[in-house]
Amino acid sequence: MIKILMVDDEEGILEVLKAYFEKEGWEIHTASNGIDALKKEKENKPDIMILDLMLPDISGEEVCRLIRKESDVPIIMLTAKSTEDDLINGMVIGADDYVTKPFSPREVVVRAKAILRRVKKMNHSKQFVFNEENLRIDPLKKEVEIRGQLVSLTPIEYKLLLTMANFPGRVYSRLDLLEKCQEDGVYFEGYERSIDTHIKNLRKKIETDTRHPEYILTVFGMGYKFGGKPHAEDVAL
């Protein structure tokens, strides 16, 4: 059974969402503040979270940051903010998607299902395939192919690529990427800006035109995201 943790201080929103997800047969957990949300995330290990940005104790952004230090659980942000900068910032801190209020509960269900389909495909696929099979990543062999040719990547370059390819569209700050590399034992000395050098070298190896990359995209003032399009079979129902 799929477990979902919904976090919002508005009881009415929780009740409505709970009713819709219960119809799908999901196991529902709820929290009305950030402290409780962090506790229940650790206790219940949900498959996905729906997280409101405006909470009475600590902000949704801070909850997301703290969770991202320990978990890659998919997170859908609920927000009344709708400016581009606000939404980009939500993605930078680790959200996988966002829904602006007011929203349709059915839309939230559809988005949650879509994210879980993608994660399931990624977790069970022997290879990640993008852009009409032009890029292949084989996590078991730790191999990368560009247009059928094996590419030699350093451990850091490979980890950067795999991290971003796991969640296409999610924006990663330099600090996020630095921590991801080091937490898996791919340690290197340097500062956040050293990530730029590794990204530059990675682009030289996998991009056709480094001035107009299609895989490793810069989000100015924020960091980087993966722009590859998953193979059609990997996103199908």
Side-chain angles (χ1 to χ4, degrees), residues 6-18:
M6 301 183 297
V7 186
D8 200 302
D9 63 334
E10 295 185 46
E11 185 176 347
I13 288 179
L14 289 179
E15 288 300 320
V16 170
L17 288 175
K18 183 178 179 181

Side-chain angles (χ1 to χ4, degrees), residues 22 36 49 51 72 100 126 147 170 210:
E22 282 182 338
D36 196 27
M49 286 183 64
L51 176 62
D72 273 328
T100 56
K126 291 183 178 180
R147 293 176 293 281
R170 178 191 290 182
T210 56

Side-chain angles (χ1 to χ4, degrees), residues 64-209:
C64 187
R65 287 192 188 95
L66 292 171
I67 288 175
R68 278 291 169 258
K69 291 182 178 180
E70 300 179 355
S71 172
D72 273 328
V73 59
I75 296 175
I76 298 176
M77 288 285 198
L78 298 181
T79 175
K81 302 176 181 179
S82 59
T83 69
E84 183 178 8
D85 287 345
D86 289 328
L87 298 178
I88 288 176
N89 184 58
M91 303 299 277
V92 167
I93 61 178
D96 296 273
D97 200 356
Y98 60 83
V99 177
T100 56
K101 296 180 179 180
F103 58 81
S104 161
R106 291 183 60 188
E107 178 188 0
V108 178
V109 172
V110 169
R111 292 198 184 202
K113 286 182 174 181
I115 290 174
L116 288 179
R117 276 201 308 272
R118 186 187 70 209
V119 171
K120 182 178 179 181
K121 289 289 186 180
M122 289 294 188
N123 289 340
H124 290 84
S125 176
K126 291 183 178 180
Q127 294 187 343
F128 300 167
V129 183
F130 301 95
N131 289 29
E132 299 181 349
E133 304 187 33
N134 284 327
L135 170 63
R136 289 179 178 271
I137 305 172
D138 189 329
L140 297 180
K141 297 180 179 179
K142 293 188 176 180
E143 292 180 345
V144 176
E145 290 185 9
I146 292 292
R147 293 176 293 281
Q149 299 296 316
L150 283 175
V151 178
S152 178
L153 301 181
T154 67
I156 294 171
E157 292 164 357
Y158 174 78
K159 181 58 181 176
L160 289 172
L161 177 61
L162 184 62
T163 294
M164 290 187 280
N166 261 295
F167 294 94
R170 178 191 290 182
V171 181
Y172 290 86
S173 69
R174 292 173 178 84
L175 180 58
D176 289 335
L177 294 173
L178 184 65
E179 291 176 343
K180 283 291 184 183
C181 288
Q182 295 184 346
E183 72 183 14
D184 286 353
V186 185
Y187 180 79
F188 64 96
E189 295 183 358
Y191 300 95
E192 293 176 39
R193 285 289 175 178
S194 65
I195 290 293
D196 295 344
T197 299
H198 294 291
I199 291 291
K200 180 179 179 181
N201 293 333
L202 175 59
R203 281 173 170 164
K204 289 179 180 178
K205 296 178 180 180
I206 69 171
E207 302 286 3
T208 302
D209 183 353

